[in-house]
Structure formats: structure tokens, C-alpha cells
Amino acid sequence: MLALRLTRGARPAVQLRRLLVAAASAGTGFLLLCALGHGLAHPDATGSSLLRLAWCMAPLAATAYFAVAVARTDPGTRPLQGLSAIGLGPARQMAVSATTTALSTLLGSLLALLVFLHLRGDLTGLPFDGEAAGALAADRPLPLPAALTLLSLVPLTASLSVALVLRPREPRRPDAPRFFGRFGAYGKGGAARETFGSYGRFGARLGGVNRPAGRGADPADQPGAPVGEPAPLTAGRATAEAPEPQKGGTPQARKGDTHPAPTATPAHTTGQAGLPAPALAAPDSPAALPWGIATLAAGLAVEAYATRATATPGLALPGGLTGNSLGVLIGWSLTAVGLALAGPGLTHLCGRLLQAVRPGALRLLAGRVLMEESTRIGRPLGVVCAVTSAAYAMGTLYEPDGATIGPLTALGSLLVAGCTLATLLTAAVEAKHARADTTAALVRLGAPSTTLRAAAALRATALLALFGPLTLIVAELAARPLTR
């Protein structure tokens, strides 16, 4: 009920994105039902029917990816103050987002079922003079359990993907070290480790003061300290002297303090009114770039090997693509995964190159924004590159003297391309909302709007200059084995 109320009370832009998710779900569900109809019409060609069903996984993955992007930009998924008091914490918000996605995709699946039954003639007779009756097995009864099982794939995949991405995570500082306790138990980070026998050593718990365990907790732990003499004081132990008056504007440590006295901040690290200057540390580079390059190379190699293999009878795709199509599907899938993994690293590299060779304010701003948004923007860019290269490779097969594109192939290609482009635009909107505070701060500091627009144009140009040639190279490498 809460998900329905949030869905009804959302803004028009949010409703439009949900309707696009429903439309993508309808197209994917229709392709799944068409694969079922092909299996009913050709009971002897089991391999071809299974291959058609396998190629429907590409639109299914694109639809789920788009649904996750839409759920991330939903205002209902953002943490708000006071919602945990009424029982709407992070886990409940995740459940609401998954339920909203399931409702949108379920609406599209029902629409696909209605269109499929209408084309079969099960509702009001055969439309279009019965041209689609042979492909949809209109002369055979439709197994309803099989149809419902296939239609449930889209809602289940999309809602589970949303729940997995938006699941509540324990906040952790990026610079904090990650420790693992005994037998791999997580959650002991920050606690000092006890040395062997330090807890039961004589005098370790005397005086009513719990000394910190670990190195420096006991005089015997100090290297070079003679027996019977106190160990030198460290920064983590209490001082034994009486408090001294303030000298030179710096307060001294008092008895019982467990932290060292604050020192004066150097002049070169302070801003106005003695406040510390903000740190301009560059974001960390994504670590998946080598894995992405390796997966991309493996996908191209698998595709080249699959096209060299002997054509298997009965494995022709619904667009005229022959040969070992299952190997081509695996190769393209690995290529897409590799580009998606390498996208954040390439975007981060693009932002770093923008700041090279004595950058000005414009290039510095554009480069830092690209480095900050490398993970959010890089993956959709990598997927778009993969889809574009696959479209170029398939376009080489449909020449004027070659095969023609069928309606189902056109529908599947349109779904994959549309979902990836919509995901990229949705990620751009999410990135804009994420840096809204930074943009407002720059405007308050007096930054002109033309500078912000110029920085956005510079980011787009840099990404196009990097990912454009990369897409052409991958497309040429992917299409070369298919044209031999």
C-alpha cells in the first residue's frame, strides 16, 4: 500500500521513467513469448528455440539495468530525516523501491501478454490477415503455466536487482583500514590487537585504569626498556605531570588526557580566519580497469573462435545470423561485461588527463568532476560502447545483398539500444543531483553560469574523444571475424 501511494504521488518526471520501465518490460516479455511460440510451432527445432530464448537474455539484462538506474534516481530511495522513527528505515526503503519496480515491470508483462494473445487471435480474431499466426503458433493451444513463467522473469530479475543494489550497507570511512578478527570475524576494525600474554601480565590491570592493549600498553612491551624502570611515555598514554599554563597560544596537555595537545596549524594550511583549508585530494582510481581489459580481450577471442567453427545446422538466429551463434552470444556478452568493467577506470583516466600540463580552473573543475563521477557515469558509458560496437558488427551482416532484418530482431535491437541510452541519461541526471550542493556552493562563491556550462561541455567532449575511437576499434575487431 505504501508503494502504491508513493507511486501515485510521484512527480511527472519520475512517472515518465517508470512508464519507460514498463514499456521495456512489455517488449522483453513479448520477445520471451515469441520464443515460446516458435517452440510450439517448431517442436523438432529444439536447439533453435532455445537459442532464441537465450538471445532474449540481452533485452532482459538491459531492462533490469534500466530499472536499477530508475530506482536509484527515485526520490523515495533517498534517506530522509525522521523516517526511521516511523519504521521507514533503509531496509524498508529498499523494499519499497523493489516493490515499485516489480509493479512497473508487472504492468509491462501484462501488456505483453495481451498483445501476444491479440496477435494469436485468442481474443478477437486474427489481426493483420493472420500474418503473425504462423510465427506465434496460433493453431496450437498456449500453455498458460509456461507463458506465466516466462513473463515472471522480468519482474523477478528487475526487483531482485534493485534490492541487491539498494540494500543497506554499513557506512565505513574510505580511508579507514579494514581488519578481520579471529577466524575471519569482521567488525573489529580500529581496536588494538593484544599481544600474547598481555592481558594476564602482572600489573596490567592494576590502579583502576584500563590501559590500552597492544604495543605500548605495558613496559615490557616497549623494546629496549630495562626491567624495573618505567617505559617512556607515548602519545596514547596519560601524562603524569601537572597541567601547565598555556604557552604561546597553545594549550598544554592535562593530567588524564589520552590525546596529545593540539598543535598550532601551519600558516600554509590555513584559510581565512585561521580555519583549515579544504583538502583537494583526488579520488581513488577504480581498480577494475585491468579486469575489464582482460574480459574484453577474452570476449573478442571467444567471438573470433566461434565464427571460425563449423556452422551447426538449426542454430540460425531470427535475423539471418548463422554459424555458431551461441559462441557469438558468449563473446558479445564477455565484451559487454569487459567494457562495463573498464568504463569507470577509463572515465577516471579521462578526468586525470584533463588536469594534466598546468590546468586552469576550467580544466581542473571538469577533471575533478569526471574523477568523482567515474563509477556513476563510467559503467553506462561502457555498456553504450558495447551496444554500439555490437550494432556495428551486426550491421555488417545486413548488407543489401545479405539477409534482411526481421521484426523480432529489430524489436530486440531497439530495446537494448533504447534501454542503454536511457540508462546513460538517467545516470547523468543522478550525477547532476549528486553534485547539486557543490554547484550551489560554486554559485555562492561567485562562479558564473557560463563557466559551469563550459565545464559540462568540456567533460562531454573529453568523454566523446576517448570513448568514440574505443567504440570504433572494438566494433571493427568484433565485426572482422563475422565478415570472413
Side-chain angles (χ1 to χ4, degrees):
M1 186 61 66
L2 180 59
L4 289 175
R5 290 183 178 180
L6 292 177
T7 302
R8 185 182 60 182
R11 294 178 298 178
V14 179
Q15 299 287 13
L16 178 61
R17 290 195 289 264
R18 291 171 179 170
L19 287 178
L20 290 178
V21 171
S25 175
T28 306
F30 182 76
L31 288 178
L32 291 172
L33 292 178
C34 288
L36 176 62
H38 182 272
L40 293 176
H42 305 84
D44 298 332
T46 307
S48 179
S49 301
L50 289 178
L51 189 59
R52 285 171 177 261
L53 188 61
W55 273 91
C56 292
M57 296 300 106
L60 177 62
T63 303
Y65 192 45
F66 179 46
V68 170
V70 170
R72 286 172 61 94
T73 57
D74 197 338
T77 61
R78 301 173 187 172
L80 300 176
Q81 297 180 356
L83 292 182
S84 298
I86 61 174
L88 195 60
R92 185 73 179 276
Q93 289 181 354
M94 178 268 295
V96 169
S97 299
T99 305
T100 304
T101 304
L103 291 176
S104 301
T105 51
L106 185 60
L107 176 62
S109 298
L110 292 179
L111 181 61
L113 180 60
L114 291 178
V115 173
F116 183 77
L117 293 177
H118 176 66
L119 293 178
R120 278 175 49 92
D122 295 338
L123 298 180
T124 58
L126 288 174
F128 306 111
D129 297 332
E131 294 183 359
L136 303 181
D139 55 340
R140 296 178 180 271
L142 179 67
L144 190 59
L148 295 180
T149 301
L150 290 177
L151 287 177
S152 64
L153 288 178
V154 182
L156 286 178
T157 305
S159 58
L160 289 179
S161 301
V162 169
L164 182 63
V165 171
L166 300 181
R167 69 186 186 276
R169 297 179 177 88
E170 182 181 358
R172 189 179 68 89
R173 293 171 51 190
D175 56 345
R178 178 175 294 181
F179 295 99
F180 294 88
R182 296 179 178 87
F183 302 104
Y186 180 72
K188 297 183 181 297
R193 299 182 180 179
E194 293 183 353
T195 58
F196 179 77
S198 61
Y199 185 88
R201 186 174 292 118
F202 178 75
R205 295 295 186 269
L206 296 180
V209 179
N210 293 329
R211 300 179 181 179
R215 183 172 296 178
D218 195 83
D221 292 335
Q222 297 291 340
V227 179
E229 296 183 5
L233 294 176
T234 59
R237 300 182 59 179
T239 59
E241 290 82 2
E244 297 181 2
Q246 183 172 348
K247 297 179 181 180
T250 303
Q252 303 298 318
R254 296 175 300 179
K255 184 177 181 179
D257 288 345
T258 58
H259 299 280
T263 58
T265 306
H268 65 277
T269 60
T270 58
Q272 298 178 356
L275 295 177
L280 295 178
D284 296 334
S285 176
L289 181 59
W291 295 100
I293 295 175
T295 308
L296 174 62
L300 294 175
V302 168
E303 181 187 353
Y305 177 78
T307 52
R308 290 175 180 267
T310 305
T312 304
L315 290 185
L317 288 180
L321 181 61
T322 57
N324 195 351
S325 301
L326 184 59
V328 174
L329 173 61
I330 296 175
W332 282 354
S333 301
L334 289 176
T335 302
V337 172
L339 286 174
L341 289 177
L346 294 176
T347 306
H348 191 277
L349 177 63
C350 185
R352 188 173 291 275
L353 291 177
L354 272 180
Q355 305 172 71
V357 192
R358 301 179 64 180
L362 184 62
R363 285 198 294 143
L364 186 62
L365 177 61
R368 284 299 171 90
V369 170
L370 277 182
M371 293 170 68
E372 286 286 347
E373 299 175 354
S374 58
T375 304
R376 186 179 289 111
I377 297 294
R379 277 198 190 92
L381 272 175
V383 175
V384 168
C385 289
V387 171
T388 306
S389 60
Y392 177 83
M394 293 186 66
T396 58
L397 302 176
Y398 299 109
E399 298 178 353
D401 55 346
T404 58
I405 300 179
L408 297 181
T409 305
L411 177 60
S413 304
L414 181 62
L415 275 175
V416 174
C419 286
T420 51
L421 288 177
T423 302
L424 179 59
L425 295 178
T426 306
V429 172
E430 181 187 3
K432 182 180 179 180
H433 292 164
R435 65 173 184 270
D437 296 338
T438 304
T439 304
L442 290 175
V443 171
R444 286 194 303 267
L445 290 176
S449 57
T450 55
T451 303
L452 300 179
R453 288 194 293 266
L458 184 59
R459 291 195 302 269
T461 304
L463 290 176
L464 184 61
L466 178 64
F467 282 91
L470 175 65
T471 303
L472 292 179
I473 293 173
V474 174
E476 186 64 29
L477 292 177
R480 188 176 296 274
L482 298 177
T483 55
R484 291 180 180 179

